[in-house]
Amino acid sequence: MKVLHTADWHIGQLFHGHDRTYEHQQFLYWLVQTIKDEQVGVLLISGDVFDQSNPSAAAVKMFYRFLNQATKANPHLQIIVTAGNHDSAPRLESPKPLLESSNIHIIGLIEKDEAGNIDYEKLIIPLKDQTGATKAWCLAIPFLRIGDYPVIPNADNPYAEGIAALYQQVYQHALAKKQNGQAIICMGHLHTQQAEITDLDTTERLIMGGVEHISPASFHEDINYVALGHIHKAQRIGGKEHIRYCGSPLPMSFSELHYKHQVLVFTLNEKGISSPQPIEVPLAIPLLRVPSTHSSLPDVLLALQQLPDTNGDPGFPPYLQVCVLLDGPEPSLRHQVEKASAGKHVRLTKIDSRYRNASAGATQEQPFSHDRLNELKPLDVFTRVYESKYNTPVPEAIQQLFNQVAQEVSQIQAT
């Protein structure tokens, strides 16, 4: 029985303001065909189906259309969906009673009894072959929020230790069900230690000072496969072949320019599982960086002018990132870039500006104390910030404008 692992679809996401409906739809069409071609029996979606907790009606319709098409492509297909941190767990679970009749299981919430005890049985799903025989047990664990996991008294890291305890306990419940020849796999939407992150992961994921990092040891060594979501780059964790992030199917930032997005497929057999194999996801809209390295503005404008024209092409042009190296602030930068790229077969998405570091060897100043900061005049603060960012003295004209604004503010405060 083949299992396909995917995660982090983020349906409804905007890429620097650009709608991605076409890209998501192309991915889902491809996924349905892949399920059919690979004869996939189990589909695991490890969180972040949607990009927002309140997705649009169009995004929801796209997801349920996919479920319908996937189950038609393989009537014996089992689909297990867990909620991610971007998903609304109650909203994702709302059609659960109806979908379970089609072998579609959605786990968003950690259910508890009146005494506050976790109902671990609700997190354990049997994986059956076409004859109805149970081949494996899936620990379907969604993104865990405060209150979802056990409280560990005197824990050094209550979050990480609580999540580890939940995984250990749900494994013990599954072990009581397991029979000879049956495997145990689990799902998770979390940030593990040693995970390699992308630009978007850096800005979005590291929100708890590192305490959210979960040790790979949290997953029992006898678990055959750990299907993870949350980090957007496909990778093994802890050097283990069976602990995997599949990564996002669509690029989430320009740092993924040369990165091949994928899903993972493995086979359940009597010995456990086969080695997971990646299947590359076709890129519906490519990323383009011009120039390839940060260059002077004249060189950038020349490179943009040499791009191919649209010539009435109705297709979806590449997303364009422009990389420019400046000596100082350039107020007309966007206008010049837009003018140079007008009529070209690209979609201007991002201008990444950097400034020449004339003082690269200089020692970085220490932060000011609160008392020292209070002693500085507004112009002193502005000058330090300007010089720190642009590595050049503040032009006299800008100083005069700043003094004028500061004087007007002082007059308003005085009245």
Side-chain angles (χ1 to χ4, degrees):
M1 182 165 63
K2 278 192 175 181
V3 180
L4 190 150
H5 168 206
T6 181
D8 296 288
W9 294 358
H10 291 276
I11 297 175
Q13 187 218 23
L14 299 178
F15 189 65
H16 297 277
H18 294 283
D19 181 83
R20 310 197 78 176
T21 298
Y22 172 76
E23 294 171 272
H24 279 113
Q25 191 60 74
Q26 292 303 304
F27 163 66
L28 294 177
Y29 287 151
W30 173 87
L31 185 56
V32 169
Q33 188 62 46
T34 300
I35 289 170
K36 184 177 181 180
D37 293 343
E38 294 289 329
Q39 298 181 337
V40 172
V42 177
L43 174 64
L44 306 178
I45 308 174
S46 298
D48 281 355
V49 173
F50 300 108
D51 191 60
Q52 298 179 354
S53 58
N54 186 23
S56 67
V60 174
K61 184 178 181 180
M62 183 184 297
F63 176 56
Y64 289 118
R65 181 187 294 116
F66 162 77
L67 296 180
N68 180 49
Q69 292 173 343
T71 51
K72 284 183 177 178
N74 181 1
H76 300 285
L77 179 68
Q78 278 186 275
I79 301 177
I80 303 177
V81 184
T82 56
N85 57 305
H86 278 248
D87 299 312
S88 166
R91 186 183 298 274
L92 196 64
E93 275 201 354
S94 58
K96 184 176 179 177
L98 177 63
L99 294 177
E100 283 182 346
S101 62
S102 303
N103 281 330
I104 300 174
H105 305 270
I106 299 179
I107 306 296
L109 301 168
I110 301 297
E111 298 187 26
K112 299 182 179 181
D113 61 20
E114 295 181 355
N117 299 311
I118 296 174
D119 188 347
Y120 290 103
E121 297 297 319
K122 296 288 183 66
L123 303 175
I124 303 171
I125 299 173
L127 303 182
K128 301 180 179 181
D129 63 15
Q130 295 186 14
T131 67
T134 299
K135 292 296 183 181
W137 298 91
C138 179
L139 317 183
I141 302 175
F143 178 76
L144 299 171
R145 294 176 169 82
I146 294 176
D148 287 339
Y149 47 82
V151 176
I152 309 300
N154 304 316
D156 293 331
N157 186 337
Y159 179 82
E161 293 179 41
I163 288 180
L166 186 144
Y167 272 91
Q168 292 165 8
Q169 292 176 24
V170 72
Y171 171 77
Q172 292 301 322
H173 280 74
L175 197 60
K177 298 174 177 291
K178 180 179 179 294
Q179 298 179 8
N180 290 335
Q182 295 178 344
I184 294 181
I185 62 178
C186 80
M187 303 170 67
H189 194 89
L190 44 79
H191 190 152
T192 59
Q193 295 174 359
Q194 307 172 20
E196 184 179 349
I197 58 179
T198 65
D199 285 353
L200 186 61
D201 292 323
T202 301
T203 58
E204 183 178 325
R205 306 285 179 259
L206 306 181
I207 57 175
M208 298 171 65
V211 299
E212 81 280 10
H213 295 182
I214 307 304
S215 169
S218 302
F219 312 114
H220 195 279
E221 61 182 5
D222 290 335
I223 292 178
N224 298 90
Y225 186 81
V226 181
L228 296 175
H230 193 46
I231 302 299
H232 292 156
K233 185 172 184 178
Q235 58 194 286
R236 304 171 183 82
I237 294 300
K240 305 290 187 181
E241 283 286 327
H242 69 289
I243 304 179
R244 297 280 196 123
Y245 285 102
C246 59
S248 59
L250 270 61
M252 295 293 173
S253 74
F254 279 97
S255 67
E256 303 170 34
L257 182 65
H258 302 295
Y259 169 63
K260 295 181 178 180
H261 295 264
Q262 60 190 241
V263 298
L264 293 168
V265 175
F266 60 90
T267 302
L268 287 170
N269 52 48
E270 295 179 355
K271 296 181 180 180
I273 70 165
S274 65
S275 178
Q277 298 297 317
I279 301 178
E280 185 177 346
V281 178
L283 196 60
I285 299 180
L287 306 181
L288 178 64
R289 179 180 290 148
V290 175
S292 57
T293 59
H294 288 76
S295 305
S296 66
L297 182 55
D299 289 342
V300 169
L301 298 178
L302 179 61
L304 292 174
Q305 292 167 3
Q306 294 174 345
L307 291 173
D309 296 330
T310 56
N311 294 324
D313 187 347
F316 291 86
Y319 293 121
L320 172 65
Q321 179 189 41
V322 175
C323 299
V324 58
L325 184 63
L326 299 172
D327 294 316
E330 180 57 64
S332 65
L333 174 61
R334 186 165 192 91
H335 171 72
Q336 294 185 62
V337 169
E338 289 179 343
K339 183 178 179 180
S341 59
K344 304 300 181 180
H345 190 63
V346 292
R347 253 188 295 189
L348 179 59
T349 303
K350 180 180 180 181
I351 301 176
D352 186 13
S353 302
R354 295 185 184 177
Y355 300 90
R356 299 183 192 277
N357 190 357
S359 55
T363 302
Q364 186 174 2
E365 294 185 9
Q366 296 298 317
F368 288 112
S369 66
H370 185 270
D371 293 337
R372 177 74 178 96
L373 188 61
N374 286 334
E375 296 174 0
L376 296 174
K377 297 179 180 180
L379 181 59
D380 296 329
V381 177
F382 172 73
T383 299
R384 290 178 182 275
V385 172
Y386 186 99
E387 292 179 349
S388 174
K389 181 174 182 179
Y390 300 117
N391 294 295
T392 186
V394 182
E396 184 177 349
I398 294 181
Q399 286 191 36
Q400 293 175 355
L401 289 171
F402 181 86
N403 286 330
Q404 179 182 342
V405 172
Q407 184 177 5
E408 292 177 358
V409 170
S410 297
Q411 291 174 352
I412 293 173
Q413 290 177 334
T415 59

